[in-house]
Amino acid sequence: MAKVTTVIDIGSNSARMAIFRKTSRFGFYLLCEIKSKVRISEGSYEFGGMLQEIPMKRALSALIEFKQISEKYGSRKLFCVATSAIRDAPNARDFLRAVKQACGIDIKVIDGKKEAFYGGIACANLSHKKDGITIDIGGGSTECAIIKEGKIIDLISLNIGTIRLKELFFDKNQDLDIAKEFIKKELEKIPQFYKHFNVFGIGGTIRAISKMIMRNSKYPIDVLHGYEVDVKKHFSFIERIYAIEEEKLSSIGVTEDRKDNIQSGALIFAMLLKKFEAKNIITSGVGVREGVFLSDLLRNQKYSFPNNLNPSLNALKDRFLSYSRHGENVKNQCLRIFDALKPLHKIDEKYKLHLSCAGMFSSVGRILSFYDSHEHSAYFLLHALDYGFSHQDKAIICLLAQFSNKKIPKDISIAHISDIMPPILTLQWLSFILGMAEAMCVLTPPKDISYSYEKGALKVNSSKELYLSTEIVQKLIKPVDFDIKFHDKRI
């Protein structure tokens, strides 16, 4: 597979391009992303789906420059897919021919189920939840996929989209009930087994709604992918978006670029949430473009990453962890110390995930500067753990990296994120274990090092003296009072 891959998605509303760079077999990161609101479907729904001249010219201009940007980054492979507006257009071939002649891009027009498939692949592989139904609201259509244990079970495409509804109903100031009836008839195509408490929200409409909810609730983490929304708590707000007068949209936080189509999108979204009996929305920052990329990357893996492999961790390690062996050592000592102290701390095994990640990458900030490297590591982790982590996972891992070798402060100092964090004592235990593991790795830890907890003391046995490690460990602030005893096996 090419090292740099470009994916272009021509939707009814926007044309978007994402450029991905591979760092290893399964490691990758987003190198560049750009969109243009070409609205290729503008005016088409009143003329039997026929693409109009001015929107086609806008799209062509954007694609010519997309190709130039792709070449600037050295992309050796380019995929371009087109969805609802173009697949429904009687004159689609004219547009495809013009693009090919102007910039050499071969556009693949995909059907609705293929579009749903790409969104499903993206969510199944890059979200922290592995079960639910995707909802991808586009300009001309809406796609859904059922995901179970990280596998796609079923796909469906519906002829309802933000621009389609806007031009057919909202622009004509028709009664809302008429639009609802139109959507309701399309929803009758959905099989009865499309029910799940989790939905993955894909596309600009749902991301915009999630952003507003984040701002309104003063959510502490400014990361959209993986943000979870309680449907019961916020459903009335979604209803308010499509019911309010258009001139008042800014008063509830709708940005200027979303005013023209968010109401139709919110109406579709609300009706699907009810249809699926959803309780939890997982906001997805990934969709068709990531799905196209992954379908190529994972074509020999049954469209799934190998078990226990996370592409973000791989990419972070490949790009920034100069001494990965040290990270592996710290991670291993974290897990061994955690197990030895289990009778004392009694912490849930699930936190081994956070210790492993924090241990592996606690020193990654040194790539920027040795001084304040733990602060740098926390920043790296917050912004590089793009895929497969919940916001709670990210917050815990970042906090551990930030306060490694220090005592995590009392609640008042982390109050801005306390709603999504475990008890402070749990965090302090994890921080201490990480700090001790780092101390044990000042030198490469001997293979025969062992830990055991007996009679109120953690005993460290080693064939080396570990003079520096002992000195550092004695300075660590322990969550509770217990002894740490080093035993040199040579004696």
Side-chain angles (χ1 to χ4, degrees):
M1 185 180 182
K3 191 132 188 171
V4 181
T5 299
T6 298
V7 181
I8 298 172
D9 168 21
I10 308 171
S12 300
N13 189 40
S14 299
R16 297 170 181 265
M17 179 175 69
I19 303 176
F20 302 94
R21 184 178 180 87
K22 284 187 62 182
T23 61
S24 57
R25 175 67 182 91
F26 295 114
F28 70 90
Y29 65 97
L30 182 64
L31 182 62
C32 175
E33 187 173 58
I34 190 168
K35 75 170 182 176
S36 177
K37 199 170 183 178
V38 298
R39 185 154 296 178
I40 195 168
S41 67
E42 185 176 49
S44 66
Y45 297 113
E46 292 189 272
F47 295 95
M50 189 76 70
L51 298 175
Q52 303 300 296
E53 184 177 352
I54 292 175
M56 283 196 288
K57 285 183 177 179
R58 288 196 300 257
L60 182 58
S61 296
L63 290 171
I64 289 170
E65 296 194 11
F66 279 4
K67 179 71 178 297
Q68 293 170 357
I69 295 170
S70 174
E71 291 172 346
K72 182 182 81 169
Y73 284 103
S75 178
R76 301 293 296 274
K77 185 179 284 190
L78 186 150
F79 298 99
C80 183
V81 297
T83 55
S84 174
I86 295 178
R87 69 172 170 254
D88 293 343
N91 60 337
R93 288 186 179 181
D94 296 336
F95 176 70
L96 302 183
R97 192 181 304 114
V99 172
K100 176 68 174 176
Q101 290 175 349
C103 59
I105 293 177
D106 286 306
I107 299 174
K108 182 180 180 181
V109 181
I110 58 175
D111 63 27
K113 285 199 172 183
K114 193 69 173 182
E115 189 176 354
F117 175 72
Y118 287 139
I121 289 178
C123 287
N125 283 285
L126 303 179
S127 295
H128 64 281
K129 299 278 190 183
K130 298 301 177 185
D131 297 274
I133 303 175
T134 65
I135 300 177
D136 186 357
I137 302 173
S141 65
T142 294
E143 279 67 43
C144 301
I146 295 183
I147 298 172
K148 185 176 181 181
E149 296 177 357
K151 305 294 181 183
I152 297 171
I153 304 301
D154 199 67
L155 305 163
I156 194 167
S157 179
L158 305 167
N159 289 322
I160 46 175
T162 60
I163 306 303
R164 190 187 296 266
L165 261 70
K166 169 182 158 46
E167 294 190 359
L168 292 177
F169 303 104
F170 284 81
D171 285 353
K172 298 175 182 178
N173 294 316
Q174 293 205 35
D175 191 282
L176 204 57
D177 288 337
I178 299 175
K180 286 182 178 179
E181 193 60 33
F182 179 84
I183 296 171
K184 186 178 178 182
K185 286 181 180 179
E186 195 66 16
L187 298 191
E188 290 173 0
K189 298 177 182 178
I190 301 175
Q192 287 301 311
F193 59 84
Y194 271 72
K195 307 286 183 188
H196 207 285
F197 53 85
N198 281 332
V199 298
F200 300 94
I202 304 173
T205 291
I206 300 175
R207 286 195 292 268
I209 291 171
S210 292
K211 282 180 183 177
M212 287 188 283
I213 293 171
M214 288 176 80
R215 286 196 296 266
N216 293 343
S217 59
K218 297 181 180 178
Y219 188 73
I221 298 177
D222 188 22
V223 176
L224 198 58
H225 183 64
Y227 173 60
E228 298 188 41
V229 177
D230 184 313
V231 174
K232 185 177 180 181
K233 187 176 179 181
H234 297 286
F235 190 77
S236 61
F237 176 72
I238 298 171
E239 289 182 308
R240 189 180 177 196
I241 293 171
Y242 66 74
I244 198 172
E245 294 89 343
E246 186 176 343
E247 57 270 19
K248 294 182 180 178
L249 284 171
S250 58
S251 68
I252 59 172
V254 178
T255 56
E256 198 64 36
D257 65 324
R258 279 287 162 194
K259 284 183 180 180
D260 61 344
N261 65 353
I262 197 167
Q263 290 188 288
S264 52
L267 178 58
I268 296 169
F269 191 35
M271 292 184 71
L272 281 170
L273 290 173
K274 280 188 176 180
K275 179 75 174 178
F276 297 154
E277 299 176 3
K279 296 180 180 178
N280 185 44
I281 302 163
I282 301 108
T283 310
S284 176
V286 299
V288 169
R289 291 171 301 287
E290 287 78 10
V292 172
F293 173 74
L294 291 175
S295 69
D296 185 49
L297 178 70
L298 303 174
R299 62 188 180 277
N300 298 319
Q301 301 288 327
K302 297 181 179 180
Y303 303 113
S304 296
F305 285 107
N307 289 337
N308 301 317
L309 186 144
N310 182 288
S312 290
L313 293 179
N314 277 31
L316 186 61
K317 179 179 176 181
D318 296 337
R319 295 165 68 196
F320 301 116
L321 201 60
S322 302
Y323 301 98
S324 59
R325 187 177 176 185
H326 172 75
E328 290 284 358
N329 285 334
V330 175
K331 168 185 167 182
N332 291 335
Q333 299 310 307
C334 277
L335 298 178
R336 296 177 72 178
I337 297 168
F338 180 97
D339 288 340
L341 286 171
K342 186 73 184 285
L344 186 60
H345 62 62
K346 298 181 175 66
I347 296 174
D348 194 306
E349 293 274 325
K350 69 181 181 181
Y351 293 111
K352 282 186 173 182
L353 165 70
H354 309 91
L355 263 181
S356 295
C357 292
M360 185 73 195
F361 295 103
S362 62
S363 63
V364 73
R366 294 180 189 176
I367 197 75
L368 179 61
S369 170
F370 179 83
Y371 299 103
D372 299 319
S373 63
H374 287 106
E375 295 281 348
H376 305 323
S377 294
Y379 185 86
F380 266 96
L381 288 163
L382 179 62
H383 295 281
L385 300 183
D386 296 315
Y387 308 128
F389 292 93
S390 70
H391 281 202
Q392 185 190 56
D393 293 335
K394 287 185 181 185
I396 294 171
I397 294 166
C398 293
L399 198 69
L400 294 182
Q402 181 180 356
F403 287 96
S404 178
N405 292 324
K406 301 176 185 177
K407 183 178 180 181
I408 288 181
K410 292 294 183 182
D411 291 316
I412 191 169
S413 299
I414 58 169
H416 63 295
I417 55 173
S418 61
D419 288 347
I420 60 171
M421 299 298 271
I424 190 70
L425 184 59
T426 297
L427 292 171
Q428 289 175 344
W429 263 116
L430 296 173
S431 179
F432 166 77
I433 292 169
L434 174 59
M436 182 168 178
E438 288 186 315
M440 303 311 298
C441 295
V442 172
L443 298 175
T444 300
K447 293 181 179 179
D448 66 346
I449 193 169
S450 65
Y451 307 92
S452 60
Y453 181 73
E454 302 172 20
K455 299 178 181 178
L458 175 65
K459 296 184 178 179
V460 183
N461 294 292
S462 170
S463 59
K464 290 185 178 180
E465 182 182 5
L466 301 178
Y467 173 80
L468 292 175
S469 297
T470 304
E471 186 177 25
I472 296 169
V473 167
Q474 300 304 331
K475 296 177 182 178
L476 294 176
I477 301 173
K478 293 173 283 190
V480 298
D481 187 41
F482 66 97
D483 292 328
I484 302 175
K485 298 179 179 179
F486 286 79
H487 177 63
D488 185 347
K489 292 180 181 178
R490 297 175 305 168
I491 299 175

